Every structure is written in structure tokens, then in C-alpha cells.
Amino acid sequence: MGLNDAVRYGDLTYQEIDRLPRTDTVVVLPLGCTEQQGPHLPVDFDTWFSESLMIAAANEADRRRDRMTVVLPAIPVGPTPEHRNFGTGYLHLPEPLHDQLVVAAISSILEQGFRHVVVWRGCGQHDLHQAVVRVAVENPGAAPDLDFAAYSDTGVIGDPRHASADLGDRLWRACVDWVADYLTAAGDDCDA
């Protein structure tokens, strides 16, 4: 474990965690979901993508700065009400419970003396319930819902057959660079 290497929290012993610099280390909590991704991807894609992107971006951020980034294990479940009508392939965690889980994870890190935590959502915005209620109140008779099946019969929007390895590589690099920029700047207040 050396400085300038992103570290997976789950790979460390508690003694190694105890030796991490508290004020300079940026801790990242990736959030994922387990839900349908269409017939071409496994249901844990959001979780895999979130954690993989955070590790790659943390490595890049640490390469740019003399600071350590620690990536926590991804939380693999979240609110998935929009995926229920597909019948299978999801694990739904009600939004209030999900929020409590995230708060508890962050609190655990802060209790250990770390000062800087970044939460990365690897799945779409789930805070849609209040918006749906507001639309229903403002438009009597309207019946909006969170049914993703109304938009897709496979769980996918778009056509993955148009993808290519080159395009995937360019998109991955752009994502890693953008997140690395964010992580590099995220710890700036730790320097004071």
C-alpha cells in the first residue's frame, strides 16, 4: 500500500486502515443497484460500473496529486421501484432505508477520523417520488408513475448494437478523467 495508489478499503486490515492519514485521505462510497439492464448485461452492472469507475478514477486522481484515495465497497442495492414491472431481476431497497444506509456508512467513516467523503451514485437518480407527487397535485387527474417498463420492454433505453470497443474505450477514458478531476479537487480543503 503506497501513496499514489487507490486503495480498496475492503482489501485492508484494520491496522492498515488505522495508519491511513485522516486529514489528507479522500474516501469514496460508490452506490450501485441490482436491477434489469436489458438482455445483454448482468443485473449487477450498475454496482460493478460504479465501483470500477471509482477505482480507476481514484488511481488517476492519486497519480495527479500526492494524496491517497480509498474506495469503500459499493452498496449494491438501492431504490428500484421503476423496475418492478419487469417481474424479476431487481433488489429493491425503499428510499428512506437506502438513505439511512448511506448516512450510516458515511457516519462510520467520519467516526474513524476521516474528514473527506465523496458519495458516487452509479445508478440513475432515485429521488423521484416527490416529483411524481407534485405532478399529480398540480395536474388533477394525472397519474404519473415510476414504471420504467412503460419506456422499455427490455430494461434498456437505446440500442447497444451500435456500440463499439473504440467508442467504449473513449467513453470510459472520458468518465475516468472527469471523475479524477472531481476527486483531485475534492480534497483541496484538506490542505488547509
Side-chain angles (χ1 to χ4, degrees):
M1 172 179 71
L3 200 57
N4 298 326
D5 291 324
V7 174
R8 292 175 53 141
Y9 187 89
D11 290 344
L12 301 174
T13 68
Y14 78 94
Q15 292 101 344
E16 290 171 324
I17 293 168
D18 191 48
R19 290 192 295 267
L20 294 174
R22 301 303 198 269
T23 58
D24 291 338
T25 299
V26 176
V27 180
V28 180
L29 174 59
L31 304 179
C33 280
T34 301
E35 61 192 16
Q36 307 91 347
Q37 302 293 328
H40 64 294
L41 290 173
V43 296
D44 75 341
F45 177 80
D46 289 340
T47 303
W48 168 83
F49 185 75
S50 180
E51 191 168 10
S52 297
L53 177 59
M54 290 305 98
I55 290 167
N59 278 323
E60 179 63 21
D62 289 357
R63 186 187 64 72
R64 297 176 185 180
R65 292 189 70 129
D66 194 25
R67 180 178 290 132
M68 181 175 286
T69 305
V70 176
V71 180
L72 297 172
I75 296 176
V77 293
T80 60
E82 70 276 16
H83 287 264
R84 286 181 164 175
N85 282 345
F86 289 106
T88 61
Y90 67 92
L91 293 175
H92 173 68
L93 196 62
E95 196 166 323
L97 184 56
H98 183 258
D99 291 350
Q100 288 176 341
L101 180 61
V102 171
V103 167
I106 293 169
S107 296
S108 294
I109 293 303
L110 296 176
E111 288 170 2
Q112 295 172 56
F114 294 98
R115 291 182 41 212
H116 206 79
V117 180
V118 173
V119 177
W120 181 266
R121 292 184 82 133
C123 189
Q125 177 70 7
H126 294 296
D127 190 17
L128 300 175
H129 182 70
Q130 293 302 323
V132 169
V133 170
R134 188 174 344 118
V135 169
V137 168
E138 293 173 0
N139 299 283
D145 62 29
L146 299 176
D147 179 10
F148 195 72
Y151 304 101
S152 169
D153 59 0
T154 64
V156 174
I157 294 179
D159 187 347
R161 293 175 292 181
H162 298 292
S164 70
D166 179 57
L167 177 59
D169 186 55
R170 287 184 295 155
L171 291 172
W172 176 257
R173 188 75 247 157
C175 289
V176 168
D177 286 341
W178 186 87
V179 177
D181 287 344
Y182 182 85
L183 292 176
T184 299
D188 284 347
D189 64 340
C190 295
D191 293 333

